[in-house]
Amino acid sequence: MACPENMFFLIGLFMSGVLACFGQRDLITTMPDRLDVLTGSCVQIPCAFYIPDQNYYKFNSTILTSGVWFKKSPLFAEGQDNVIFNSSEMVNSYQGKITGNMSQKNCTTVFFNVTTSYSDKYFFRIESQPYRATDPEKPVNIDVRVSPKDTSASISPAGPVLVGSCVNLICSSTANPPVTNFTWFQISGGKPTQVASGQSYTLIVTVGDGGLYYCEARNSQGCGKSEEVKLAIKEQGEAVNPKVYEIIGKILVLLFLFSLIVFFAWRRRTSRLSNGFETTDRS
Ligand SMILES: *[C@@H]1O[C@H](CO)[C@@H](O)[C@H](O)[C@H]1NC(C)=O
Ligand SMILES: *[C@@H]1O[C@H](CO)[C@@H](O)[C@H](O)[C@H]1NC(C)=O
Ligand SMILES: *[C@@H]1O[C@H](CO)[C@@H](O)[C@H](O)[C@H]1NC(C)=O
Ligand SMILES: *[C@@H]1O[C@H](CO)[C@@H](O)[C@H](O)[C@H]1NC(C)=O
Ligand SMILES: *[C@@H]1O[C@H](CO)[C@@H](O)[C@H](O)[C@H]1NC(C)=O
Ligand SMILES: *[C@@H]1O[C@H](CO)[C@@H](O)[C@H](O)[C@H]1NC(C)=O
């Protein structure tokens, strides 16, 4: 009740009620009470209008008529920023199109690329010369819901892990209503096999666990699938790069050869020295 928007709505109802009592409703529209839409999709609002007798002469269908949609409050006021679509404007805050033929009083409208912020109450208005009118009594409630979006999978720790280590696979997703079920799949033999359910999947890695995984997030509206992530396994023996052994081996061989050379050089030198000594000694 304290909400200004509710107040406007009540005043609107009251006024349109009064007008209706006197048969003065300026415009009568028919459209669904409510439409449920998924984010990212488009919404078609089936819409038709009827101009009550007392205004009939004012509406000339051969004159360009603007179809206007505005949201929240049933009261239209010039310059309000709640107008979201005007068929006479090239640029509107909502991308859309009146697909119905307004000359035939068909105001069927499509809005594209619906996002959750589109959830609201919408009213239709006609603007032509000299006739301009809104039907404050017939809003359509658009309720945007999401199948799970931006579903992604990650592995912690990232990078190759040793057999026997503990790894967490985590699934995340934005969804309204919230995700009720996360399911994990491993791709084995080219086919996905369900391996776990739950937002995170913890495993002690065995050799067969290496490979590609993805998760699925499901809510009442549908499901979203993540990209594939790779669980890479590091073999125990491969902990040290085999190149390192090769280099160490070569260095050892070189050291051995070098010490052999030094050893023989030393032996030749000592034997020459001792020979020399003997010679000197003899002279
Ligand atoms: C509607 O508008 C057209 C163009 O301005 C005019 O020729 C025609 O007489 C009008 N019809 C009525 C019923 O007023
Ligand atoms: C709709 O667009 C027409 C043409 O630009 C303009 O005359 C009219 O005032 C606009 N109506 C609203 C409610 O924005
Ligand atoms: C109104 O227009 C829409 C879109 O062009 C069409 O699908 C629908 O059949 C039309 N409604 C009537 C009553 O002609
Ligand atoms: C809309 O309806 C009018 C009157 O029935 C007709 O003359 C006109 O060609 C129609 N326009 C389109 C785009 O179908
Ligand atoms: C919908 O929105 C996306 C991203 O904002 C954009 O890339 C895409 O072109 C839009 N599609 C349409 C039909 O407007
Ligand atoms: C989650 O979904 C999977 C696959 O559809 C299903 O096998 C599993 O039973 C579901 N779990 C729950 C708790 O709903």
Side-chain angles (χ1 to χ4, degrees), residues 74-114:
L75 295 181
F76 178 82
E78 210 71 53
Q80 257 181 184
D81 62 2
N82 62 351
V83 171
I84 50 92
F85 184 83
N86 179 343
S87 64
S88 302
E89 299 284 353
M90 294 299 285
V91 178
N92 285 294
S93 48
Y94 285 20
Q95 282 185 337
K97 189 175 176 2
I98 295 188
T99 53
N101 186 337
M102 294 269 282
S103 301
Q104 293 174 349
K105 306 199 173 63
N106 184 337
C107 45
T108 298
T109 303
V110 176
F111 290 125
F112 304 107
N113 245 356
V114 169

mmCIF file of all heavy atoms in Angstrom, residues 74-114:
data_model
loop_
_atom_site.group_PDB
_atom_site.id
_atom_site.type_symbol
_atom_site.label_atom_id
_atom_site.label_comp_id
_atom_site.label_asym_id
_atom_site.label_seq_id
_atom_site.Cartn_x
_atom_site.Cartn_y
_atom_site.Cartn_z
ATOM 1 N N PRO A 74 -0.421 2.275 -14.779
ATOM 2 C CA PRO A 74 -1.426 2.362 -15.841
ATOM 3 C C PRO A 74 -1.689 3.803 -16.295
ATOM 4 O O PRO A 74 -2.377 4.021 -17.278
ATOM 5 C CB PRO A 74 -2.677 1.776 -15.191
ATOM 6 C CG PRO A 74 -2.490 1.983 -13.739
ATOM 7 C CD PRO A 74 -1.016 1.949 -13.469
ATOM 8 N N LEU A 75 -1.160 4.758 -15.553
ATOM 9 C CA LEU A 75 -1.400 6.156 -15.918
ATOM 10 C C LEU A 75 -0.314 6.628 -16.853
ATOM 11 O O LEU A 75 0.867 6.573 -16.522
ATOM 12 C CB LEU A 75 -1.421 7.039 -14.665
ATOM 13 C CG LEU A 75 -2.550 6.751 -13.699
ATOM 14 C CD1 LEU A 75 -2.479 7.684 -12.515
ATOM 15 C CD2 LEU A 75 -3.907 6.856 -14.389
ATOM 16 N N PHE A 76 -0.749 7.095 -18.001
ATOM 17 C CA PHE A 76 0.249 7.592 -18.943
ATOM 18 C C PHE A 76 0.425 9.090 -18.747
ATOM 19 O O PHE A 76 -0.544 9.830 -18.652
ATOM 20 C CB PHE A 76 -0.191 7.324 -20.384
ATOM 21 C CG PHE A 76 0.785 7.857 -21.381
ATOM 22 C CD1 PHE A 76 1.912 7.149 -21.724
ATOM 23 C CD2 PHE A 76 0.590 9.131 -21.937
ATOM 24 C CE1 PHE A 76 2.835 7.659 -22.616
ATOM 25 C CE2 PHE A 76 1.516 9.642 -22.829
ATOM 26 C CZ PHE A 76 2.642 8.907 -23.173
ATOM 27 N N ALA A 77 1.652 9.529 -18.659
ATOM 28 C CA ALA A 77 1.918 10.965 -18.609
ATOM 29 C C ALA A 77 3.011 11.290 -19.598
ATOM 30 O O ALA A 77 3.996 10.558 -19.705
ATOM 31 C CB ALA A 77 2.326 11.390 -17.192
ATOM 32 N N GLU A 78 2.808 12.358 -20.329
ATOM 33 C CA GLU A 78 3.785 12.786 -21.337
ATOM 34 C C GLU A 78 5.160 12.958 -20.703
ATOM 35 O O GLU A 78 5.266 13.472 -19.584
ATOM 36 C CB GLU A 78 3.320 14.128 -21.924
ATOM 37 C CG GLU A 78 3.728 14.352 -23.365
ATOM 38 C CD GLU A 78 2.963 13.464 -24.351
ATOM 39 O OE1 GLU A 78 1.714 13.459 -24.317
ATOM 40 O OE2 GLU A 78 3.635 12.787 -25.132
ATOM 41 N N GLY A 79 6.199 12.522 -21.401
ATOM 42 C CA GLY A 79 7.559 12.742 -20.907
ATOM 43 C C GLY A 79 8.010 11.768 -19.830
ATOM 44 O O GLY A 79 9.106 11.878 -19.308
ATOM 45 N N GLN A 80 7.159 10.801 -19.505
ATOM 46 C CA GLN A 80 7.554 9.789 -18.508
ATOM 47 C C GLN A 80 8.580 8.856 -19.115
ATOM 48 O O GLN A 80 8.547 8.598 -20.315
ATOM 49 C CB GLN A 80 6.319 8.966 -18.133
ATOM 50 C CG GLN A 80 5.736 9.337 -16.807
ATOM 51 C CD GLN A 80 4.532 8.479 -16.483
ATOM 52 O OE1 GLN A 80 3.915 8.714 -15.486
ATOM 53 N NE2 GLN A 80 4.199 7.500 -17.287
ATOM 54 N N ASP A 81 9.473 8.356 -18.266
ATOM 55 C CA ASP A 81 10.482 7.468 -18.855
ATOM 56 C C ASP A 81 10.062 6.000 -18.817
ATOM 57 O O ASP A 81 10.882 5.119 -18.992
ATOM 58 C CB ASP A 81 11.837 7.677 -18.184
ATOM 59 C CG ASP A 81 11.797 7.343 -16.697
ATOM 60 O OD1 ASP A 81 10.719 6.918 -16.227
ATOM 61 O OD2 ASP A 81 12.821 7.503 -16.018
ATOM 62 N N ASN A 82 8.783 5.762 -18.591
ATOM 63 C CA ASN A 82 8.360 4.358 -18.602
ATOM 64 C C ASN A 82 7.847 3.892 -19.964
ATOM 65 O O ASN A 82 7.366 2.782 -20.092
ATOM 66 C CB ASN A 82 7.322 4.098 -17.500
ATOM 67 C CG ASN A 82 6.077 4.906 -17.688
ATOM 68 O OD1 ASN A 82 6.031 5.796 -18.542
ATOM 69 N ND2 ASN A 82 5.044 4.614 -16.906
ATOM 70 N N VAL A 83 7.985 4.764 -20.988
ATOM 71 C CA VAL A 83 7.649 4.329 -22.341
ATOM 72 C C VAL A 83 8.827 3.499 -22.848
ATOM 73 O O VAL A 83 9.956 3.967 -22.865
ATOM 74 C CB VAL A 83 7.414 5.536 -23.281
ATOM 75 C CG1 VAL A 83 7.285 5.066 -24.725
ATOM 76 C CG2 VAL A 83 6.170 6.294 -22.856
ATOM 77 N N ILE A 84 8.551 2.250 -23.212
ATOM 78 C CA ILE A 84 9.656 1.393 -23.635
ATOM 79 C C ILE A 84 9.624 1.111 -25.140
ATOM 80 O O ILE A 84 10.595 0.633 -25.692
ATOM 81 C CB ILE A 84 9.687 0.069 -22.827
ATOM 82 C CG1 ILE A 84 8.322 -0.622 -22.808
ATOM 83 C CG2 ILE A 84 10.136 0.321 -21.390
ATOM 84 C CD1 ILE A 84 8.129 -1.597 -23.885
ATOM 85 N N PHE A 85 8.501 1.453 -25.763
ATOM 86 C CA PHE A 85 8.424 1.220 -27.209
ATOM 87 C C PHE A 85 7.417 2.174 -27.843
ATOM 88 O O PHE A 85 6.315 2.370 -27.331
ATOM 89 C CB PHE A 85 8.016 -0.233 -27.484
ATOM 90 C CG PHE A 85 8.006 -0.574 -28.947
ATOM 91 C CD1 PHE A 85 9.180 -0.926 -29.607
ATOM 92 C CD2 PHE A 85 6.829 -0.507 -29.682
ATOM 93 C CE1 PHE A 85 9.183 -1.209 -30.972
ATOM 94 C CE2 PHE A 85 6.820 -0.795 -31.041
ATOM 95 C CZ PHE A 85 8.009 -1.151 -31.688
ATOM 96 N N ASN A 86 7.843 2.762 -28.959
ATOM 97 C CA ASN A 86 6.960 3.650 -29.717
ATOM 98 C C ASN A 86 7.172 3.283 -31.180
ATOM 99 O O ASN A 86 8.264 3.462 -31.714
ATOM 100 C CB ASN A 86 7.367 5.108 -29.444
ATOM 101 C CG ASN A 86 6.524 6.119 -30.196
ATOM 102 O OD1 ASN A 86 5.828 5.778 -31.158
ATOM 103 N ND2 ASN A 86 6.590 7.370 -29.757
ATOM 104 N N SER A 87 6.134 2.749 -31.827
ATOM 105 C CA SER A 87 6.304 2.228 -33.191
ATOM 106 C C SER A 87 6.728 3.310 -34.180
ATOM 107 O O SER A 87 7.226 2.993 -35.254
ATOM 108 C CB SER A 87 5.017 1.558 -33.663
ATOM 109 O OG SER A 87 3.984 2.516 -33.749
ATOM 110 N N SER A 88 6.556 4.581 -33.813
ATOM 111 C CA SER A 88 6.970 5.655 -34.725
ATOM 112 C C SER A 88 8.416 6.063 -34.554
ATOM 113 O O SER A 88 8.913 6.874 -35.321
ATOM 114 C CB SER A 88 6.092 6.896 -34.520
ATOM 115 O OG SER A 88 4.760 6.558 -34.720
ATOM 116 N N GLU A 89 9.045 5.524 -33.532
ATOM 117 C CA GLU A 89 10.451 5.870 -33.288
ATOM 118 C C GLU A 89 11.362 4.801 -33.878
ATOM 119 O O GLU A 89 11.043 3.616 -33.848
ATOM 120 C CB GLU A 89 10.728 5.984 -31.778
ATOM 121 C CG GLU A 89 9.907 7.051 -31.072
ATOM 122 C CD GLU A 89 10.412 8.462 -31.333
ATOM 123 O OE1 GLU A 89 11.494 8.611 -31.959
ATOM 124 O OE2 GLU A 89 9.717 9.408 -30.924
ATOM 125 N N MET A 90 12.511 5.244 -34.366
ATOM 126 C CA MET A 90 13.472 4.294 -34.929
ATOM 127 C C MET A 90 14.207 3.549 -33.806
ATOM 128 O O MET A 90 14.531 2.379 -33.930
ATOM 129 C CB MET A 90 14.514 5.016 -35.791
ATOM 130 C CG MET A 90 13.946 5.656 -37.042
ATOM 131 S SD MET A 90 13.197 4.434 -38.140
ATOM 132 C CE MET A 90 14.671 3.675 -38.814
ATOM 133 N N VAL A 91 14.504 4.262 -32.734
ATOM 134 C CA VAL A 91 15.258 3.673 -31.635
ATOM 135 C C VAL A 91 14.377 3.641 -30.382
ATOM 136 O O VAL A 91 13.776 4.646 -30.021
ATOM 137 C CB VAL A 91 16.547 4.478 -31.345
ATOM 138 C CG1 VAL A 91 17.308 3.884 -30.163
ATOM 139 C CG2 VAL A 91 17.441 4.521 -32.577
ATOM 140 N N ASN A 92 14.297 2.484 -29.784
ATOM 141 C CA ASN A 92 13.491 2.320 -28.570
ATOM 142 C C ASN A 92 14.306 1.606 -27.498
ATOM 143 O O ASN A 92 15.274 0.928 -27.812
ATOM 144 C CB ASN A 92 12.248 1.485 -28.892
ATOM 145 C CG ASN A 92 11.216 2.277 -29.665
ATOM 146 O OD1 ASN A 92 10.638 3.231 -29.140
ATOM 147 N ND2 ASN A 92 10.978 1.897 -30.900
ATOM 148 N N SER A 93 13.899 1.751 -26.240
ATOM 149 C CA SER A 93 14.686 1.057 -25.215
ATOM 150 C C SER A 93 14.503 -0.456 -25.308
ATOM 151 O O SER A 93 15.396 -1.204 -24.921
ATOM 152 C CB SER A 93 14.376 1.575 -23.816
ATOM 153 O OG SER A 93 13.003 1.641 -23.602
ATOM 154 N N TYR A 94 13.358 -0.928 -25.831
ATOM 155 C CA TYR A 94 13.212 -2.358 -26.106
ATOM 156 C C TYR A 94 13.239 -2.541 -27.616
ATOM 157 O O TYR A 94 12.567 -1.819 -28.344
ATOM 158 C CB TYR A 94 11.851 -2.881 -25.595
ATOM 159 C CG TYR A 94 11.727 -3.073 -24.110
ATOM 160 C CD1 TYR A 94 12.579 -2.442 -23.203
ATOM 161 C CD2 TYR A 94 10.712 -3.895 -23.604
ATOM 162 C CE1 TYR A 94 12.424 -2.613 -21.841
ATOM 163 C CE2 TYR A 94 10.560 -4.080 -22.240
ATOM 164 C CZ TYR A 94 11.415 -3.432 -21.363
ATOM 165 O OH TYR A 94 11.255 -3.602 -20.018
ATOM 166 N N GLN A 95 14.021 -3.535 -28.067
ATOM 167 C CA GLN A 95 13.990 -3.882 -29.488
ATOM 168 C C GLN A 95 12.688 -4.619 -29.748
ATOM 169 O O GLN A 95 12.426 -5.627 -29.090
ATOM 170 C CB GLN A 95 15.130 -4.835 -29.825
ATOM 171 C CG GLN A 95 16.475 -4.176 -29.962
ATOM 172 C CD GLN A 95 17.516 -5.198 -30.410
ATOM 173 O OE1 GLN A 95 17.352 -6.394 -30.214
ATOM 174 N NE2 GLN A 95 18.555 -4.716 -31.008
ATOM 175 N N GLY A 96 11.918 -4.125 -30.683
ATOM 176 C CA GLY A 96 10.658 -4.798 -30.933
ATOM 177 C C GLY A 96 10.021 -4.360 -32.233
ATOM 178 O O GLY A 96 10.595 -3.574 -32.998
ATOM 179 N N LYS A 97 8.805 -4.899 -32.472
ATOM 180 C CA LYS A 97 8.117 -4.609 -33.723
ATOM 181 C C LYS A 97 6.637 -4.889 -33.506
ATOM 182 O O LYS A 97 6.288 -5.907 -32.902
ATOM 183 C CB LYS A 97 8.678 -5.543 -34.797
ATOM 184 C CG LYS A 97 8.232 -5.243 -36.216
ATOM 185 C CD LYS A 97 9.005 -6.196 -37.138
ATOM 186 C CE LYS A 97 8.676 -6.156 -38.587
ATOM 187 N NZ LYS A 97 7.756 -5.304 -39.203
ATOM 188 N N ILE A 98 5.803 -3.976 -33.988
ATOM 189 C CA ILE A 98 4.373 -4.280 -33.979
ATOM 190 C C ILE A 98 4.104 -5.034 -35.277
ATOM 191 O O ILE A 98 4.219 -4.478 -36.364
ATOM 192 C CB ILE A 98 3.516 -2.991 -33.855
ATOM 193 C CG1 ILE A 98 3.780 -2.351 -32.491
ATOM 194 C CG2 ILE A 98 2.034 -3.334 -34.042
ATOM 195 C CD1 ILE A 98 2.881 -1.201 -32.125
ATOM 196 N N THR A 99 3.853 -6.337 -35.134
ATOM 197 C CA THR A 99 3.693 -7.166 -36.333
ATOM 198 C C THR A 99 2.248 -7.165 -36.816
ATOM 199 O O THR A 99 1.982 -7.534 -37.958
ATOM 200 C CB THR A 99 4.148 -8.622 -36.066
ATOM 201 O OG1 THR A 99 3.459 -9.102 -34.914
ATOM 202 C CG2 THR A 99 5.642 -8.692 -35.821
ATOM 203 N N GLY A 100 1.336 -6.783 -35.936
ATOM 204 C CA GLY A 100 -0.075 -6.713 -36.330
ATOM 205 C C GLY A 100 -0.302 -5.502 -37.219
ATOM 206 O O GLY A 100 0.491 -4.559 -37.219
ATOM 207 N N ASN A 101 -1.385 -5.527 -37.957
ATOM 208 C CA ASN A 101 -1.736 -4.392 -38.818
ATOM 209 C C ASN A 101 -2.641 -3.466 -38.008
ATOM 210 O O ASN A 101 -3.800 -3.766 -37.755
ATOM 211 C CB ASN A 101 -2.444 -4.928 -40.075
ATOM 212 C CG ASN A 101 -2.719 -3.831 -41.076
ATOM 213 O OD1 ASN A 101 -2.792 -2.649 -40.718
ATOM 214 N ND2 ASN A 101 -2.874 -4.219 -42.339
ATOM 215 N N MET A 102 -2.069 -2.321 -37.621
ATOM 216 C CA MET A 102 -2.801 -1.401 -36.750
ATOM 217 C C MET A 102 -4.085 -0.884 -37.416
ATOM 218 O O MET A 102 -5.055 -0.576 -36.730
ATOM 219 C CB MET A 102 -1.897 -0.222 -36.371
ATOM 220 C CG MET A 102 -0.722 -0.640 -35.505
ATOM 221 S SD MET A 102 -1.090 -0.531 -33.765
ATOM 222 C CE MET A 102 -0.915 1.230 -33.562
ATOM 223 N N SER A 103 -4.072 -0.808 -38.745
ATOM 224 C CA SER A 103 -5.288 -0.358 -39.433
ATOM 225 C C SER A 103 -6.435 -1.339 -39.219
ATOM 226 O O SER A 103 -7.600 -0.978 -39.296
ATOM 227 C CB SER A 103 -5.038 -0.218 -40.933
ATOM 228 O OG SER A 103 -4.003 0.696 -41.142
ATOM 229 N N GLN A 104 -6.023 -2.582 -38.962
ATOM 230 C CA GLN A 104 -7.052 -3.602 -38.689
ATOM 231 C C GLN A 104 -7.211 -3.819 -37.191
ATOM 232 O O GLN A 104 -7.704 -4.847 -36.758
ATOM 233 C CB GLN A 104 -6.668 -4.920 -39.375
ATOM 234 C CG GLN A 104 -6.715 -4.814 -40.885
ATOM 235 C CD GLN A 104 -6.206 -6.056 -41.575
ATOM 236 O OE1 GLN A 104 -5.628 -6.944 -40.951
ATOM 237 N NE2 GLN A 104 -6.428 -6.126 -42.878
ATOM 238 N N LYS A 105 -6.738 -2.844 -36.432
ATOM 239 C CA LYS A 105 -6.830 -2.860 -34.969
ATOM 240 C C LYS A 105 -6.140 -4.085 -34.356
ATOM 241 O O LYS A 105 -6.581 -4.645 -33.363
ATOM 242 C CB LYS A 105 -8.298 -2.774 -34.523
ATOM 243 C CG LYS A 105 -9.010 -1.573 -35.138
ATOM 244 C CD LYS A 105 -10.256 -1.240 -34.376
ATOM 245 C CE LYS A 105 -10.884 0.053 -34.865
ATOM 246 N NZ LYS A 105 -11.335 0.020 -36.274
ATOM 247 N N ASN A 106 -5.061 -4.445 -35.011
ATOM 248 C CA ASN A 106 -4.263 -5.559 -34.516
ATOM 249 C C ASN A 106 -2.945 -4.970 -34.011
ATOM 250 O O ASN A 106 -2.163 -4.437 -34.760
ATOM 251 C CB ASN A 106 -4.014 -6.550 -35.675
ATOM 252 C CG ASN A 106 -3.264 -7.796 -35.240
ATOM 253 O OD1 ASN A 106 -2.554 -7.790 -34.226
ATOM 254 N ND2 ASN A 106 -3.406 -8.866 -36.010
ATOM 255 N N CYS A 107 -2.728 -5.053 -32.686
ATOM 256 C CA CYS A 107 -1.528 -4.440 -32.083
ATOM 257 C C CYS A 107 -0.538 -5.513 -31.618
ATOM 258 O O CYS A 107 0.291 -5.280 -30.735
ATOM 259 C CB CYS A 107 -1.906 -3.522 -30.925
ATOM 260 S SG CYS A 107 -3.114 -4.198 -29.779
ATOM 261 N N THR A 108 -0.641 -6.705 -32.206
ATOM 262 C CA THR A 108 0.296 -7.792 -31.865
ATOM 263 C C THR A 108 1.732 -7.290 -31.975
ATOM 264 O O THR A 108 2.109 -6.670 -32.969
ATOM 265 C CB THR A 108 0.054 -8.993 -32.793
ATOM 266 O OG1 THR A 108 -1.270 -9.453 -32.561
ATOM 267 C CG2 THR A 108 1.047 -10.124 -32.511
ATOM 268 N N THR A 109 2.498 -7.532 -30.904
ATOM 269 C CA THR A 109 3.853 -6.972 -30.824
ATOM 270 C C THR A 109 4.847 -8.055 -30.442
ATOM 271 O O THR A 109 4.522 -8.954 -29.666
ATOM 272 C CB THR A 109 3.886 -5.857 -29.748
ATOM 273 O OG1 THR A 109 2.913 -4.874 -30.083
ATOM 274 C CG2 THR A 109 5.257 -5.201 -29.655
ATOM 275 N N VAL A 110 6.046 -7.939 -30.996
ATOM 276 C CA VAL A 110 7.126 -8.857 -30.626
ATOM 277 C C VAL A 110 8.252 -8.047 -30.016
ATOM 278 O O VAL A 110 8.630 -7.008 -30.551
ATOM 279 C CB VAL A 110 7.651 -9.626 -31.863
ATOM 280 C CG1 VAL A 110 8.841 -10.497 -31.484
ATOM 281 C CG2 VAL A 110 6.559 -10.478 -32.469
ATOM 282 N N PHE A 111 8.750 -8.492 -28.875
ATOM 283 C CA PHE A 111 9.968 -7.910 -28.306
ATOM 284 C C PHE A 111 11.058 -8.972 -28.402
ATOM 285 O O PHE A 111 10.826 -10.140 -28.084
ATOM 286 C CB PHE A 111 9.773 -7.502 -26.839
ATOM 287 C CG PHE A 111 8.858 -6.322 -26.680
ATOM 288 C CD1 PHE A 111 7.737 -6.396 -25.856
ATOM 289 C CD2 PHE A 111 9.103 -5.119 -27.345
ATOM 290 C CE1 PHE A 111 6.889 -5.305 -25.717
ATOM 291 C CE2 PHE A 111 8.262 -4.030 -27.211
ATOM 292 C CZ PHE A 111 7.147 -4.122 -26.400
ATOM 293 N N PHE A 112 12.254 -8.526 -28.825
ATOM 294 C CA PHE A 112 13.360 -9.474 -29.011
ATOM 295 C C PHE A 112 14.275 -9.480 -27.801
ATOM 296 O O PHE A 112 14.282 -8.521 -27.020
ATOM 297 C CB PHE A 112 14.183 -9.083 -30.240
ATOM 298 C CG PHE A 112 13.375 -8.976 -31.491
ATOM 299 C CD1 PHE A 112 13.075 -7.735 -32.044
ATOM 300 C CD2 PHE A 112 12.884 -10.112 -32.108
ATOM 301 C CE1 PHE A 112 12.316 -7.636 -33.204
ATOM 302 C CE2 PHE A 112 12.122 -10.014 -33.269
ATOM 303 C CZ PHE A 112 11.839 -8.773 -33.815
ATOM 304 N N ASN A 113 15.071 -10.546 -27.708
ATOM 305 C CA ASN A 113 16.186 -10.550 -26.762
ATOM 306 C C ASN A 113 15.774 -10.183 -25.336
ATOM 307 O O ASN A 113 16.358 -9.299 -24.713
ATOM 308 C CB ASN A 113 17.218 -9.532 -27.242
ATOM 309 C CG ASN A 113 18.505 -10.206 -27.640
ATOM 310 O OD1 ASN A 113 18.665 -11.405 -27.487
ATOM 311 N ND2 ASN A 113 19.437 -9.408 -28.113
ATOM 312 N N VAL A 114 14.771 -10.849 -24.857
ATOM 313 C CA VAL A 114 14.214 -10.546 -23.542
ATOM 314 C C VAL A 114 15.215 -10.848 -22.420
ATOM 315 O O VAL A 114 15.888 -11.869 -22.439
ATOM 316 C CB VAL A 114 12.928 -11.380 -23.367
ATOM 317 C CG1 VAL A 114 12.418 -11.359 -21.960
ATOM 318 C CG2 VAL A 114 11.876 -10.890 -24.336
#
